[in-house]
Amino acid sequence: MVAQSVVLAAVLAVVVAALVHRDQRAVGMATAASAVGLTIPSFALLGLLIAPLGIGVAPAVTALVLYASLPILRNAVVGLAGVDTALVDAARGMGMSRLRTLLRIELPLAWPVILAGIRVSTQMVMGIGAIAAYVSGPGLGGLIFTGLARLGGANSVNSALAGTLGVVVLALVFDAFLVLLGKLTTPRGIRV
């Protein structure tokens, strides 16, 4: 659930960033929207999504995509804005279209910053994904909520601990994968 949500959020956020990064007013609106979105408590958002989407996977994935897209959007806007305009002008002067310049010059140069946003989003969404059990969403949060609901009973602490450790281990695995992805996909000339 987390992997799918982060991939969907990354696609949405990068497309929005590509559309707005040249217009300062649009950048301000996108940044303000992401700031406001991050202030909504995850428990409250999940509760609000029950009415239109019911319980189960739909509200959980919707909330995760929303939360995951916000840091990626911010980083994508910053990364694209940080690309040297001389490089963009040179590409345009050589006859590259605006889309080709974006795909061949701007996005590869902004990729490390975008990937940093994806890493932050993944870690954040891992914790929120556990809370998604509140709306009967899938994931390890069910073990945590079950353990906490039966606190004092047999194996209640073990259940909550197993869910918590599972979330931590998955978060570390995702982060290691994203570090490897960064090493494999960052252009050689800008690797650190």
Side-chain angles (χ1 to χ4, degrees):
M1 176 177 67
V2 168
Q4 292 170 344
S5 297
V6 169
V7 167
L8 183 58
V11 169
L12 291 171
V14 170
V15 167
V16 170
L19 293 173
V20 304
H21 81 278
R22 289 190 177 101
D23 180 8
Q24 287 304 315
R25 192 174 349 161
V27 166
M29 289 172 35
T31 303
S34 68
V36 169
L38 283 172
T39 62
I40 300 170
S42 53
F43 224 49
L45 181 63
L46 287 166
L48 292 172
L49 290 173
I50 290 174
L53 301 175
I55 60 171
V57 175
V61 169
T62 302
L64 293 183
V65 168
L66 175 68
Y67 281 114
S69 65
L70 301 176
I72 299 170
L73 175 62
R74 278 188 161 184
N75 277 36
V77 167
V78 168
L80 289 169
V83 173
D84 189 1
T85 55
L87 293 172
V88 175
D89 291 341
R92 298 284 291 147
M94 291 174 40
M96 292 177 85
S97 68
R98 189 172 283 251
L99 179 62
R100 191 162 181 215
T101 302
L102 176 71
L103 296 176
R104 303 269 306 179
I105 307 294
E106 293 176 280
L107 282 176
L109 291 175
W111 176 241
V113 178
I114 295 169
L115 187 60
I118 293 171
R119 287 180 66 193
V120 167
S121 287
T122 303
Q123 299 304 309
M124 183 177 69
V125 169
M126 283 300 299
I128 296 170
I131 296 171
Y134 171 69
V135 292
S136 298
L140 295 169
L143 287 172
I144 297 169
F145 277 106
T146 302
L148 293 175
R150 295 182 299 139
L151 208 55
N155 294 325
S156 61
V157 174
N158 293 342
S159 177
L161 189 60
T164 304
L165 289 176
V167 169
V168 170
V169 168
L170 278 176
L172 292 173
V173 168
F174 275 128
D175 196 52
F177 170 75
L178 290 171
V179 167
L180 179 63
L181 180 68
K183 288 182 190 260
L184 295 175
T185 59
T186 301
R188 225 180 270 167
I190 61 172
R191 282 188 200 154
V192 182

